[in-house]
Amino acid sequence: MSALYRGGVALLGVLSVIGLSTALFTDGQHPPMFITIIGAVLDLIGIVLAVLAWRGRPAAAIGLSVVRVFYVGGVPGPIMAVAGTFIVLTIVGVVLMLAGMRRPAPVSA
């Protein structure tokens, strides 16, 4: 796999680990506990998919892209800024990973 692919998978895997740890810092109100649990489950799935994608499974890479693109509205301002950063980093990771999945075009002699 290419360096772009590995970089994208690594970025999305790290974001999933960080996202999983955010469940420890909720007060149950912002975000509500059920949203936190859903996010934690998606982050756990993201970690598993990142490991599988790192091992070269293209379906896991696509699944990782889908799992990481998850957004919840109604979040307070400071948390929204952090969430916005995560969204931008997720987009960067998905683009890197998918660009790295492309196979080079065959060169005819």
Side-chain angles (χ1 to χ4, degrees), residues 28-90:
Q29 298 295 322
H30 300 289
M33 191 54 73
F34 75 94
I35 297 295
T36 302
I37 292 170
I38 290 170
V41 168
L42 289 174
D43 286 323
L44 187 59
I45 291 169
I47 293 168
V48 171
L49 289 173
V51 169
L52 293 173
W54 186 265
R55 294 180 179 169
R57 296 195 175 158
I62 293 169
L64 177 59
S65 299
V66 171
V67 167
R68 284 300 313 160
V69 180
F70 178 71
Y71 176 76
V72 178
V75 179
I79 296 174
M80 184 64 81
V82 172
T85 303
F86 273 67
I87 290 169
V88 169
L89 289 174
T90 295

